[in-house]
Amino acid sequence: MTKILKNYINGEWVESRGSGFLSVINPADGQLLCNVPSGSKEDITETADEALKAWPAWRNMPATQRIQYLFKMKQILEANSNEIAEICTKECGKTFSESKAEIVRAIENIEVACGIPKLLQSDFSEDIATGVDEFYIRQPLGVGACISPFNFPIMIPFWFMPYAIACGNTYIVKPSEKVPQTMTRIFELFEQLGLPAGVLNMVHGGKETVDAILENPAVQAISFVGSTNVAKYIYQTGVTHGKRVQAQGGAKNPVVVMPDADEETTVRIIADSAFGCAGQRCLAASVVITVGNAAEKFTEKIIKTAASKKTGNGMIPGVEMGPVITKESKTRIEKLIQNGLNDGAKMLLDGRNLNVPGYEDGNFIGPTILCDVKTDSELFQTEIFGPVLTIINVDSLEDAITLINQSRYGNSACIFTRSGAAARKFRHDTLVGNIGVNIGIAAPMAFFPFSGWKESFFGDLHGQSLHAIEFYTQTKVVIERWHEEWTRKF
Ligand code: NAD
């Protein structure tokens, strides 16, 4: 019988109160893995109530004790990384080594959150007037929640959750309904933590569950990662309901190649960036902008490297690129490619109609590269979220920056060059939140905020680092007067 996933509420595994279910499919072979509840408002009402009840005791526990659970969390993820990575690869499609890399990034966030006793410290000003001192305290908000996308089932909840609970909040994780097994297994393993019931909860579901989170009065802060239209909706609806919201959206990341860029490094890194995780990374390179004669030097080499990528089931050693997440996604990507061709683009490497022997039901698209793409075309403007790279040539660095700055997205942009002056101009003038210089995926370490501008981010404070701590706390300013003569009485 097909397994039906349960929610984890107040330290118990419970069935969803809703009646609908969704199928979770292995994108490499089309096999049904399990069913996940499509969710209900009641699930969230119950979870938020329990999380709120658990909050006073959790926030009163000294931070030095709270982080002992995080140390254990890190050990559990490390000890079980192969099992977790296998589950992730089977439901998400990325290669086993890509799944393992996610665990490393998740753990880095736990490690940073373990510094919370120091990170929660604040400023103190003595004698702002005679005998008067002023300082502030960082206090947790209450119940927090995160809503995750499908493409990083392990890492993304850890951009938020470790910080939220380390700060003294209780928490609800809502995984993507497309990849719900990975976080379910992580929560099963986290039972070994012995966390007080209600501190960490997980609820499955889709829109109804998300809407219930947005409206629930107990939930104070929401972290979202997903596509731009949903991010905008989450931000606007959450704020309307008086919540603190940070919402990371979609992207279309350009990579500028200057004529002086190192050939080997540039070609290898761009191919990894564009086709790793089958292009389903919010920091994936999706547009290469060659400057001047860089087009002649680099285009053929990028095509050759891309064509050599082995596409297949991510569990098979040697496979470098897995399938895209769903059949609908594959159809959408192929349609975008065709529309681009209809708009005048030229195909340089066609990954459509790829046959992966033994995996005829998998959602495979091979590395695809197009040039002569019109900048006002759908192909150029839309986030493709698949293994598709477009190459466009411009005359100067200024032209490249102008093109980048016209985009609705601002997640990341990278430049490949040997010129410090070009790199500096690029860093200074480009309107995006994450910049890479001779780096293909400018993914910030956990001790830096995961930035993002324009329609790639809605909110003020980002995930990870001190931003996460500020997001999941509020400051209480205290001004105290102690007259000296009162002290002298003792
Ligand atoms: P998605 O927006 O479809 O889903 C994300 C989450 O929102 C899921 O948990 C889903 O259940 C929920 N959701 C979906 N539609 C909803 C609706 N109408 N109302 C309420 N909730 C809804 O995104 P996805 O396809 O899972 O993930 C891919 C997207 O995520 C891409 O656009 C990618 O760029 C983006 N992403 C961004 C970042 C970043 O850091 N900016 C990181 C990873 C992924």
Side-chain angles (χ1 to χ4, degrees), residues 148-151 156 174 177 207 210 224-227 230 248-250 282 383 385 450:
S148 317
F150 78 82
N151 63 330
I156 285 180
K174 205 297 282 175
E177 63 277 32
K207 182 167 169 52
V210 173
F224 171 86
V225 182
S227 51
V230 183
Q248 298 181 211
C282 66
E383 179 184 39
F385 224 55
F450 193 107

mmCIF file with all atom_site columns, all heavy atoms in Angstrom, residues 148-151 156 174 177 207 210 224-227 230 248-250 282 383 385 450, ligand 1:
data_model
loop_
_atom_site.group_PDB
_atom_site.id
_atom_site.type_symbol
_atom_site.label_atom_id
_atom_site.label_alt_id
_atom_site.label_comp_id
_atom_site.label_asym_id
_atom_site.label_entity_id
_atom_site.label_seq_id
_atom_site.pdbx_PDB_ins_code
_atom_site.Cartn_x
_atom_site.Cartn_y
_atom_site.Cartn_z
_atom_site.occupancy
_atom_site.B_iso_or_equiv
_atom_site.pdbx_formal_charge
_atom_site.auth_seq_id
_atom_site.auth_comp_id
_atom_site.auth_asym_id
_atom_site.auth_atom_id
_atom_site.pdbx_PDB_model_num
ATOM   1   N N   . SER A 1 148 ? 8.601  26.250 2.159   1.00 0.00 ? 148 SER A N   1
ATOM   2   C CA  . SER A 1 148 ? 9.767  25.980 1.297   1.00 0.00 ? 148 SER A CA  1
ATOM   3   C C   . SER A 1 148 ? 9.393  25.587 -0.122  1.00 0.00 ? 148 SER A C   1
ATOM   4   O O   . SER A 1 148 ? 8.323  25.024 -0.348  1.00 0.00 ? 148 SER A O   1
ATOM   5   C CB  . SER A 1 148 ? 10.578 24.799 1.807   1.00 0.00 ? 148 SER A CB  1
ATOM   6   O OG  . SER A 1 148 ? 10.746 24.824 3.120   1.00 0.00 ? 148 SER A OG  1
ATOM   7   N N   . PRO A 1 149 ? 10.343 25.782 -1.043  1.00 0.00 ? 149 PRO A N   1
ATOM   8   C CA  . PRO A 1 149 ? 10.150 25.333 -2.422  1.00 0.00 ? 149 PRO A CA  1
ATOM   9   C C   . PRO A 1 149 ? 10.668 23.907 -2.598  1.00 0.00 ? 149 PRO A C   1
ATOM   10  O O   . PRO A 1 149 ? 11.231 23.327 -1.661  1.00 0.00 ? 149 PRO A O   1
ATOM   11  C CB  . PRO A 1 149 ? 11.022 26.304 -3.205  1.00 0.00 ? 149 PRO A CB  1
ATOM   12  C CG  . PRO A 1 149 ? 12.171 26.571 -2.287  1.00 0.00 ? 149 PRO A CG  1
ATOM   13  C CD  . PRO A 1 149 ? 11.629 26.479 -0.875  1.00 0.00 ? 149 PRO A CD  1
ATOM   14  N N   . PHE A 1 150 ? 10.531 23.373 -3.820  1.00 0.00 ? 150 PHE A N   1
ATOM   15  C CA  . PHE A 1 150 ? 10.919 21.970 -4.035  1.00 0.00 ? 150 PHE A CA  1
ATOM   16  C C   . PHE A 1 150 ? 12.412 21.779 -4.255  1.00 0.00 ? 150 PHE A C   1
ATOM   17  O O   . PHE A 1 150 ? 12.938 20.691 -4.092  1.00 0.00 ? 150 PHE A O   1
ATOM   18  C CB  . PHE A 1 150 ? 10.164 21.396 -5.255  1.00 0.00 ? 150 PHE A CB  1
ATOM   19  C CG  . PHE A 1 150 ? 10.742 21.821 -6.586  1.00 0.00 ? 150 PHE A CG  1
ATOM   20  C CD1 . PHE A 1 150 ? 11.848 21.163 -7.119  1.00 0.00 ? 150 PHE A CD1 1
ATOM   21  C CD2 . PHE A 1 150 ? 10.215 22.887 -7.296  1.00 0.00 ? 150 PHE A CD2 1
ATOM   22  C CE1 . PHE A 1 150 ? 12.401 21.564 -8.327  1.00 0.00 ? 150 PHE A CE1 1
ATOM   23  C CE2 . PHE A 1 150 ? 10.765 23.295 -8.505  1.00 0.00 ? 150 PHE A CE2 1
ATOM   24  C CZ  . PHE A 1 150 ? 11.864 22.628 -9.015  1.00 0.00 ? 150 PHE A CZ  1
ATOM   25  N N   . ASN A 1 151 ? 13.130 22.867 -4.665  1.00 0.00 ? 151 ASN A N   1
ATOM   26  C CA  . ASN A 1 151 ? 14.449 22.604 -5.242  1.00 0.00 ? 151 ASN A CA  1
ATOM   27  C C   . ASN A 1 151 ? 15.559 22.371 -4.222  1.00 0.00 ? 151 ASN A C   1
ATOM   28  O O   . ASN A 1 151 ? 16.600 21.823 -4.573  1.00 0.00 ? 151 ASN A O   1
ATOM   29  C CB  . ASN A 1 151 ? 14.836 23.705 -6.241  1.00 0.00 ? 151 ASN A CB  1
ATOM   30  C CG  . ASN A 1 151 ? 14.973 25.060 -5.599  1.00 0.00 ? 151 ASN A CG  1
ATOM   31  O OD1 . ASN A 1 151 ? 14.305 25.358 -4.613  1.00 0.00 ? 151 ASN A OD1 1
ATOM   32  N ND2 . ASN A 1 151 ? 15.830 25.892 -6.132  1.00 0.00 ? 151 ASN A ND2 1
ATOM   33  N N   . ILE A 1 156 ? 16.860 24.663 2.603   1.00 0.00 ? 156 ILE A N   1
ATOM   34  C CA  . ILE A 1 156 ? 16.158 25.945 2.753   1.00 0.00 ? 156 ILE A CA  1
ATOM   35  C C   . ILE A 1 156 ? 15.491 26.124 4.124   1.00 0.00 ? 156 ILE A C   1
ATOM   36  O O   . ILE A 1 156 ? 15.648 27.182 4.735   1.00 0.00 ? 156 ILE A O   1
ATOM   37  C CB  . ILE A 1 156 ? 15.218 26.200 1.552   1.00 0.00 ? 156 ILE A CB  1
ATOM   38  C CG1 . ILE A 1 156 ? 16.110 26.590 0.362   1.00 0.00 ? 156 ILE A CG1 1
ATOM   39  C CG2 . ILE A 1 156 ? 14.187 27.288 1.848   1.00 0.00 ? 156 ILE A CG2 1
ATOM   40  C CD1 . ILE A 1 156 ? 15.416 26.891 -0.939  1.00 0.00 ? 156 ILE A CD1 1
ATOM   41  N N   . LYS A 1 174 ? 6.787  24.072 6.779   1.00 0.00 ? 174 LYS A N   1
ATOM   42  C CA  . LYS A 1 174 ? 5.860  23.568 5.741   1.00 0.00 ? 174 LYS A CA  1
ATOM   43  C C   . LYS A 1 174 ? 6.710  23.234 4.518   1.00 0.00 ? 174 LYS A C   1
ATOM   44  O O   . LYS A 1 174 ? 7.078  24.122 3.734   1.00 0.00 ? 174 LYS A O   1
ATOM   45  C CB  . LYS A 1 174 ? 4.825  24.655 5.425   1.00 0.00 ? 174 LYS A CB  1
ATOM   46  C CG  . LYS A 1 174 ? 3.507  24.173 4.873   1.00 0.00 ? 174 LYS A CG  1
ATOM   47  C CD  . LYS A 1 174 ? 3.562  23.473 3.546   1.00 0.00 ? 174 LYS A CD  1
ATOM   48  C CE  . LYS A 1 174 ? 3.708  24.377 2.355   1.00 0.00 ? 174 LYS A CE  1
ATOM   49  N NZ  . LYS A 1 174 ? 3.874  23.584 1.073   1.00 0.00 ? 174 LYS A NZ  1
ATOM   50  N N   . GLU A 1 177 ? 5.112  20.361 -1.181  1.00 0.00 ? 177 GLU A N   1
ATOM   51  C CA  . GLU A 1 177 ? 4.321  19.132 -1.351  1.00 0.00 ? 177 GLU A CA  1
ATOM   52  C C   . GLU A 1 177 ? 4.902  18.242 -2.447  1.00 0.00 ? 177 GLU A C   1
ATOM   53  O O   . GLU A 1 177 ? 4.523  17.086 -2.567  1.00 0.00 ? 177 GLU A O   1
ATOM   54  C CB  . GLU A 1 177 ? 2.843  19.473 -1.631  1.00 0.00 ? 177 GLU A CB  1
ATOM   55  C CG  . GLU A 1 177 ? 2.562  20.240 -2.921  1.00 0.00 ? 177 GLU A CG  1
ATOM   56  C CD  . GLU A 1 177 ? 2.761  21.752 -2.790  1.00 0.00 ? 177 GLU A CD  1
ATOM   57  O OE1 . GLU A 1 177 ? 3.621  22.190 -2.004  1.00 0.00 ? 177 GLU A OE1 1
ATOM   58  O OE2 . GLU A 1 177 ? 2.050  22.489 -3.517  1.00 0.00 ? 177 GLU A OE2 1
ATOM   59  N N   . LYS A 1 207 ? -1.708 25.141 -0.983  1.00 0.00 ? 207 LYS A N   1
ATOM   60  C CA  . LYS A 1 207 ? -2.190 26.517 -0.798  1.00 0.00 ? 207 LYS A CA  1
ATOM   61  C C   . LYS A 1 207 ? -3.045 26.701 0.461   1.00 0.00 ? 207 LYS A C   1
ATOM   62  O O   . LYS A 1 207 ? -2.886 27.673 1.185   1.00 0.00 ? 207 LYS A O   1
ATOM   63  C CB  . LYS A 1 207 ? -2.964 26.949 -2.048  1.00 0.00 ? 207 LYS A CB  1
ATOM   64  C CG  . LYS A 1 207 ? -3.457 28.387 -1.954  1.00 0.00 ? 207 LYS A CG  1
ATOM   65  C CD  . LYS A 1 207 ? -3.942 28.906 -3.277  1.00 0.00 ? 207 LYS A CD  1
ATOM   66  C CE  . LYS A 1 207 ? -4.670 30.230 -3.126  1.00 0.00 ? 207 LYS A CE  1
ATOM   67  N NZ  . LYS A 1 207 ? -3.942 31.267 -2.382  1.00 0.00 ? 207 LYS A NZ  1
ATOM   68  N N   . VAL A 1 210 ? -0.845 26.945 3.402   1.00 0.00 ? 210 VAL A N   1
ATOM   69  C CA  . VAL A 1 210 ? -0.090 28.209 3.392   1.00 0.00 ? 210 VAL A CA  1
ATOM   70  C C   . VAL A 1 210 ? -1.014 29.370 3.797   1.00 0.00 ? 210 VAL A C   1
ATOM   71  O O   . VAL A 1 210 ? -0.655 30.204 4.633   1.00 0.00 ? 210 VAL A O   1
ATOM   72  C CB  . VAL A 1 210 ? 0.527  28.465 2.002   1.00 0.00 ? 210 VAL A CB  1
ATOM   73  C CG1 . VAL A 1 210 ? 1.159  29.850 1.933   1.00 0.00 ? 210 VAL A CG1 1
ATOM   74  C CG2 . VAL A 1 210 ? 1.557  27.386 1.666   1.00 0.00 ? 210 VAL A CG2 1
ATOM   75  N N   . PHE A 1 224 ? 9.501  32.762 3.580   1.00 0.00 ? 224 PHE A N   1
ATOM   76  C CA  . PHE A 1 224 ? 9.037  32.050 2.384   1.00 0.00 ? 224 PHE A CA  1
ATOM   77  C C   . PHE A 1 224 ? 10.151 32.011 1.349   1.00 0.00 ? 224 PHE A C   1
ATOM   78  O O   . PHE A 1 224 ? 10.883 32.984 1.176   1.00 0.00 ? 224 PHE A O   1
ATOM   79  C CB  . PHE A 1 224 ? 7.822  32.766 1.774   1.00 0.00 ? 224 PHE A CB  1
ATOM   80  C CG  . PHE A 1 224 ? 7.432  32.203 0.433   1.00 0.00 ? 224 PHE A CG  1
ATOM   81  C CD1 . PHE A 1 224 ? 6.578  31.114 0.345   1.00 0.00 ? 224 PHE A CD1 1
ATOM   82  C CD2 . PHE A 1 224 ? 7.945  32.739 -0.746  1.00 0.00 ? 224 PHE A CD2 1
ATOM   83  C CE1 . PHE A 1 224 ? 6.235  30.568 -0.890  1.00 0.00 ? 224 PHE A CE1 1
ATOM   84  C CE2 . PHE A 1 224 ? 7.610  32.200 -1.986  1.00 0.00 ? 224 PHE A CE2 1
ATOM   85  C CZ  . PHE A 1 224 ? 6.755  31.112 -2.056  1.00 0.00 ? 224 PHE A CZ  1
ATOM   86  N N   . VAL A 1 225 ? 10.239 30.902 0.626   1.00 0.00 ? 225 VAL A N   1
ATOM   87  C CA  . VAL A 1 225 ? 11.113 30.820 -0.549  1.00 0.00 ? 225 VAL A CA  1
ATOM   88  C C   . VAL A 1 225 ? 10.330 30.096 -1.640  1.00 0.00 ? 225 VAL A C   1
ATOM   89  O O   . VAL A 1 225 ? 9.783  29.009 -1.404  1.00 0.00 ? 225 VAL A O   1
ATOM   90  C CB  . VAL A 1 225 ? 12.422 30.055 -0.246  1.00 0.00 ? 225 VAL A CB  1
ATOM   91  C CG1 . VAL A 1 225 ? 13.314 30.034 -1.481  1.00 0.00 ? 225 VAL A CG1 1
ATOM   92  C CG2 . VAL A 1 225 ? 13.174 30.678 0.929   1.00 0.00 ? 225 VAL A CG2 1
ATOM   93  N N   . GLY A 1 226 ? 10.281 30.690 -2.831  1.00 0.00 ? 226 GLY A N   1
ATOM   94  C CA  . GLY A 1 226 ? 9.548  30.074 -3.934  1.00 0.00 ? 226 GLY A CA  1
ATOM   95  C C   . GLY A 1 226 ? 9.528  31.013 -5.122  1.00 0.00 ? 226 GLY A C   1
ATOM   96  O O   . GLY A 1 226 ? 10.389 31.890 -5.261  1.00 0.00 ? 226 GLY A O   1
ATOM   97  N N   . SER A 1 227 ? 8.542  30.854 -5.982  1.00 0.00 ? 227 SER A N   1
ATOM   98  C CA  . SER A 1 227 ? 8.478  31.659 -7.202  1.00 0.00 ? 227 SER A CA  1
ATOM   99  C C   . SER A 1 227 ? 8.012  33.089 -6.886  1.00 0.00 ? 227 SER A C   1
ATOM   100 O O   . SER A 1 227 ? 7.364  33.332 -5.856  1.00 0.00 ? 227 SER A O   1
ATOM   101 C CB  . SER A 1 227 ? 7.525  30.987 -8.198  1.00 0.00 ? 227 SER A CB  1
ATOM   102 O OG  . SER A 1 227 ? 6.305  30.713 -7.557  1.00 0.00 ? 227 SER A OG  1
ATOM   103 N N   . VAL A 1 230 ? 4.188  33.918 -6.160  1.00 0.00 ? 230 VAL A N   1
ATOM   104 C CA  . VAL A 1 230 ? 3.732  33.429 -4.851  1.00 0.00 ? 230 VAL A CA  1
ATOM   105 C C   . VAL A 1 230 ? 4.418  34.237 -3.741  1.00 0.00 ? 230 VAL A C   1
ATOM   106 O O   . VAL A 1 230 ? 3.787  34.601 -2.740  1.00 0.00 ? 230 VAL A O   1
ATOM   107 C CB  . VAL A 1 230 ? 3.980  31.908 -4.697  1.00 0.00 ? 230 VAL A CB  1
ATOM   108 C CG1 . VAL A 1 230 ? 3.442  31.416 -3.357  1.00 0.00 ? 230 VAL A CG1 1
ATOM   109 C CG2 . VAL A 1 230 ? 3.310  31.129 -5.829  1.00 0.00 ? 230 VAL A CG2 1
ATOM   110 N N   . GLN A 1 248 ? 11.501 35.215 -0.401  1.00 0.00 ? 248 GLN A N   1
ATOM   111 C CA  . GLN A 1 248 ? 12.484 35.138 -1.486  1.00 0.00 ? 248 GLN A CA  1
ATOM   112 C C   . GLN A 1 248 ? 11.799 34.576 -2.724  1.00 0.00 ? 248 GLN A C   1
ATOM   113 O O   . GLN A 1 248 ? 11.114 33.555 -2.643  1.00 0.00 ? 248 GLN A O   1
ATOM   114 C CB  . GLN A 1 248 ? 13.651 34.245 -1.061  1.00 0.00 ? 248 GLN A CB  1
ATOM   115 C CG  . GLN A 1 248 ? 14.378 34.805 0.143   1.00 0.00 ? 248 GLN A CG  1
ATOM   116 C CD  . GLN A 1 248 ? 15.562 33.976 0.600   1.00 0.00 ? 248 GLN A CD  1
ATOM   117 O OE1 . GLN A 1 248 ? 15.846 33.980 1.793   1.00 0.00 ? 248 GLN A OE1 1
ATOM   118 N NE2 . GLN A 1 248 ? 16.239 33.292 -0.283  1.00 0.00 ? 248 GLN A NE2 1
ATOM   119 N N   . GLY A 1 249 ? 11.994 35.239 -3.850  1.00 0.00 ? 249 GLY A N   1
ATOM   120 C CA  . GLY A 1 249 ? 11.300 34.845 -5.068  1.00 0.00 ? 249 GLY A CA  1
ATOM   121 C C   . GLY A 1 249 ? 12.216 34.264 -6.132  1.00 0.00 ? 249 GLY A C   1
ATOM   122 O O   . GLY A 1 249 ? 13.307 33.777 -5.836  1.00 0.00 ? 249 GLY A O   1
ATOM   123 N N   . GLY A 1 250 ? 11.752 34.337 -7.365  1.00 0.00 ? 250 GLY A N   1
ATOM   124 C CA  . GLY A 1 250 ? 12.463 33.724 -8.483  1.00 0.00 ? 250 GLY A CA  1
ATOM   125 C C   . GLY A 1 250 ? 13.652 34.535 -8.956  1.00 0.00 ? 250 GLY A C   1
ATOM   126 O O   . GLY A 1 250 ? 14.018 35.556 -8.356  1.00 0.00 ? 250 GLY A O   1
ATOM   127 N N   . CYS A 1 282 ? 18.031 28.721 -7.640  1.00 0.00 ? 282 CYS A N   1
ATOM   128 C CA  . CYS A 1 282 ? 17.682 30.137 -7.752  1.00 0.00 ? 282 CYS A CA  1
ATOM   129 C C   . CYS A 1 282 ? 18.905 30.982 -8.059  1.00 0.00 ? 282 CYS A C   1
ATOM   130 O O   . CYS A 1 282 ? 18.771 32.143 -8.394  1.00 0.00 ? 282 CYS A O   1
ATOM   131 C CB  . CYS A 1 282 ? 17.014 30.622 -6.484  1.00 0.00 ? 282 CYS A CB  1
ATOM   132 S SG  . CYS A 1 282 ? 18.135 30.580 -5.102  1.00 0.00 ? 282 CYS A SG  1
ATOM   133 N N   . GLU A 1 383 ? 11.867 33.387 -16.018 1.00 0.00 ? 383 GLU A N   1
ATOM   134 C CA  . GLU A 1 383 ? 12.683 32.401 -15.294 1.00 0.00 ? 383 GLU A CA  1
ATOM   135 C C   . GLU A 1 383 ? 12.341 31.015 -15.853 1.00 0.00 ? 383 GLU A C   1
ATOM   136 O O   . GLU A 1 383 ? 11.190 30.576 -15.766 1.00 0.00 ? 383 GLU A O   1
ATOM   137 C CB  . GLU A 1 383 ? 12.375 32.436 -13.796 1.00 0.00 ? 383 GLU A CB  1
ATOM   138 C CG  . GLU A 1 383 ? 13.185 31.397 -13.034 1.00 0.00 ? 383 GLU A CG  1
ATOM   139 C CD  . GLU A 1 383 ? 12.846 31.314 -11.552 1.00 0.00 ? 383 GLU A CD  1
ATOM   140 O OE1 . GLU A 1 383 ? 11.662 31.417 -11.183 1.00 0.00 ? 383 GLU A OE1 1
ATOM   141 O OE2 . GLU A 1 383 ? 13.787 31.127 -10.764 1.00 0.00 ? 383 GLU A OE2 1
ATOM   142 N N   . PHE A 1 385 ? 13.998 27.963 -15.103 1.00 0.00 ? 385 PHE A N   1
ATOM   143 C CA  . PHE A 1 385 ? 14.142 26.959 -14.047 1.00 0.00 ? 385 PHE A CA  1
ATOM   144 C C   . PHE A 1 385 ? 14.283 25.555 -14.635 1.00 0.00 ? 385 PHE A C   1
ATOM   145 O O   . PHE A 1 385 ? 13.553 24.625 -14.303 1.00 0.00 ? 385 PHE A O   1
ATOM   146 C CB  . PHE A 1 385 ? 12.976 27.025 -13.058 1.00 0.00 ? 385 PHE A CB  1
ATOM   147 C CG  . PHE A 1 385 ? 13.453 26.926 -11.626 1.00 0.00 ? 385 PHE A CG  1
ATOM   148 C CD1 . PHE A 1 385 ? 14.414 27.792 -11.141 1.00 0.00 ? 385 PHE A CD1 1
ATOM   149 C CD2 . PHE A 1 385 ? 12.974 25.945 -10.763 1.00 0.00 ? 385 PHE A CD2 1
ATOM   150 C CE1 . PHE A 1 385 ? 14.877 27.707 -9.838  1.00 0.00 ? 385 PHE A CE1 1
ATOM   151 C CE2 . PHE A 1 385 ? 13.432 25.851 -9.458  1.00 0.00 ? 385 PHE A CE2 1
ATOM   152 C CZ  . PHE A 1 385 ? 14.375 26.735 -8.993  1.00 0.00 ? 385 PHE A CZ  1
ATOM   153 N N   . PHE A 1 450 ? 21.470 35.876 2.948   1.00 0.00 ? 450 PHE A N   1
ATOM   154 C CA  . PHE A 1 450 ? 21.177 35.456 1.575   1.00 0.00 ? 450 PHE A CA  1
ATOM   155 C C   . PHE A 1 450 ? 20.410 36.604 0.950   1.00 0.00 ? 450 PHE A C   1
ATOM   156 O O   . PHE A 1 450 ? 19.193 36.719 1.103   1.00 0.00 ? 450 PHE A O   1
ATOM   157 C CB  . PHE A 1 450 ? 20.352 34.168 1.573   1.00 0.00 ? 450 PHE A CB  1
ATOM   158 C CG  . PHE A 1 450 ? 20.291 33.539 0.216   1.00 0.00 ? 450 PHE A CG  1
ATOM   159 C CD1 . PHE A 1 450 ? 21.002 32.379 -0.047  1.00 0.00 ? 450 PHE A CD1 1
ATOM   160 C CD2 . PHE A 1 450 ? 19.551 34.107 -0.805  1.00 0.00 ? 450 PHE A CD2 1
ATOM   161 C CE1 . PHE A 1 450 ? 20.968 31.804 -1.309  1.00 0.00 ? 450 PHE A CE1 1
ATOM   162 C CE2 . PHE A 1 450 ? 19.510 33.551 -2.062  1.00 0.00 ? 450 PHE A CE2 1
ATOM   163 C CZ  . PHE A 1 450 ? 20.221 32.383 -2.320  1.00 0.00 ? 450 PHE A CZ  1
HETATM 164 P P1  . NAD B 2 .   ? 6.416  27.639 -5.657  1.00 0.00 ? 1   NAD B P1  1
HETATM 165 O O1  . NAD B 2 .   ? 6.260  29.110 -5.530  1.00 0.00 ? 1   NAD B O1  1
HETATM 166 O O2  . NAD B 2 .   ? 5.538  26.920 -6.614  1.00 0.00 ? 1   NAD B O2  1
HETATM 167 O O3  . NAD B 2 .   ? 6.171  26.919 -4.239  1.00 0.00 ? 1   NAD B O3  1
HETATM 168 C C1  . NAD B 2 .   ? 6.844  27.323 -3.080  1.00 0.00 ? 1   NAD B C1  1
HETATM 169 C C2  . NAD B 2 .   ? 5.963  27.066 -1.863  1.00 0.00 ? 1   NAD B C2  1
HETATM 170 O O4  . NAD B 2 .   ? 4.785  27.859 -1.963  1.00 0.00 ? 1   NAD B O4  1
HETATM 171 C C3  . NAD B 2 .   ? 5.522  25.622 -1.725  1.00 0.00 ? 1   NAD B C3  1
HETATM 172 O O5  . NAD B 2 .   ? 5.663  25.220 -0.384  1.00 0.00 ? 1   NAD B O5  1
HETATM 173 C C4  . NAD B 2 .   ? 4.052  25.637 -2.167  1.00 0.00 ? 1   NAD B C4  1
HETATM 174 O O6  . NAD B 2 .   ? 3.274  24.727 -1.427  1.00 0.00 ? 1   NAD B O6  1
HETATM 175 C C5  . NAD B 2 .   ? 3.614  27.060 -1.867  1.00 0.00 ? 1   NAD B C5  1
HETATM 176 N N1  . NAD B 2 .   ? 2.658  27.589 -2.852  1.00 0.00 ? 1   NAD B N1  1
HETATM 177 C C6  . NAD B 2 .   ? 2.671  27.355 -4.194  1.00 0.00 ? 1   NAD B C6  1
HETATM 178 N N2  . NAD B 2 .   ? 1.668  28.036 -4.788  1.00 0.00 ? 1   NAD B N2  1
HETATM 179 C C7  . NAD B 2 .   ? 1.013  28.697 -3.811  1.00 0.00 ? 1   NAD B C7  1
HETATM 180 C C8  . NAD B 2 .   ? -0.101 29.586 -3.798  1.00 0.00 ? 1   NAD B C8  1
HETATM 181 N N3  . NAD B 2 .   ? -0.753 29.913 -4.921  1.00 0.00 ? 1   NAD B N3  1
HETATM 182 N N4  . NAD B 2 .   ? -0.492 30.078 -2.617  1.00 0.00 ? 1   NAD B N4  1
HETATM 183 C C9  . NAD B 2 .   ? 0.144  29.777 -1.484  1.00 0.00 ? 1   NAD B C9  1
HETATM 184 N N5  . NAD B 2 .   ? 1.213  28.945 -1.436  1.00 0.00 ? 1   NAD B N5  1
HETATM 185 C C10 . NAD B 2 .   ? 1.646  28.423 -2.582  1.00 0.00 ? 1   NAD B C10 1
HETATM 186 O O7  . NAD B 2 .   ? 7.959  27.380 -5.974  1.00 0.00 ? 1   NAD B O7  1
HETATM 187 P P2  . NAD B 2 .   ? 8.663  26.011 -6.381  1.00 0.00 ? 1   NAD B P2  1
HETATM 188 O O8  . NAD B 2 .   ? 8.293  25.671 -7.776  1.00 0.00 ? 1   NAD B O8  1
HETATM 189 O O9  . NAD B 2 .   ? 8.487  25.006 -5.313  1.00 0.00 ? 1   NAD B O9  1
HETATM 190 O O10 . NAD B 2 .   ? 10.203 26.476 -6.324  1.00 0.00 ? 1   NAD B O10 1
HETATM 191 C C11 . NAD B 2 .   ? 10.869 27.061 -7.408  1.00 0.00 ? 1   NAD B C11 1
HETATM 192 C C12 . NAD B 2 .   ? 10.908 28.565 -7.272  1.00 0.00 ? 1   NAD B C12 1
HETATM 193 O O11 . NAD B 2 .   ? 11.547 28.930 -6.063  1.00 0.00 ? 1   NAD B O11 1
HETATM 194 C C13 . NAD B 2 .   ? 11.719 29.215 -8.383  1.00 0.00 ? 1   NAD B C13 1
HETATM 195 O O12 . NAD B 2 .   ? 11.041 30.353 -8.823  1.00 0.00 ? 1   NAD B O12 1
HETATM 196 C C14 . NAD B 2 .   ? 13.017 29.587 -7.696  1.00 0.00 ? 1   NAD B C14 1
HETATM 197 O O13 . NAD B 2 .   ? 13.717 30.678 -8.264  1.00 0.00 ? 1   NAD B O13 1
HETATM 198 C C15 . NAD B 2 .   ? 12.535 29.924 -6.329  1.00 0.00 ? 1   NAD B C15 1
HETATM 199 N N6  . NAD B 2 .   ? 13.604 29.850 -5.350  1.00 0.00 ? 1   NAD B N6  1
HETATM 200 C C16 . NAD B 2 .   ? 14.113 31.024 -4.898  1.00 0.00 ? 1   NAD B C16 1
HETATM 201 C C17 . NAD B 2 .   ? 15.169 31.020 -4.006  1.00 0.00 ? 1   NAD B C17 1
HETATM 202 C C18 . NAD B 2 .   ? 15.768 32.294 -3.518  1.00 0.00 ? 1   NAD B C18 1
HETATM 203 O O14 . NAD B 2 .   ? 16.620 32.242 -2.656  1.00 0.00 ? 1   NAD B O14 1
HETATM 204 N N7  . NAD B 2 .   ? 15.342 33.451 -4.008  1.00 0.00 ? 1   NAD B N7  1
HETATM 205 C C19 . NAD B 2 .   ? 15.686 29.794 -3.561  1.00 0.00 ? 1   NAD B C19 1
HETATM 206 C C20 . NAD B 2 .   ? 15.125 28.614 -4.042  1.00 0.00 ? 1   NAD B C20 1
HETATM 207 C C21 . NAD B 2 .   ? 14.066 28.650 -4.942  1.00 0.00 ? 1   NAD B C21 1
#
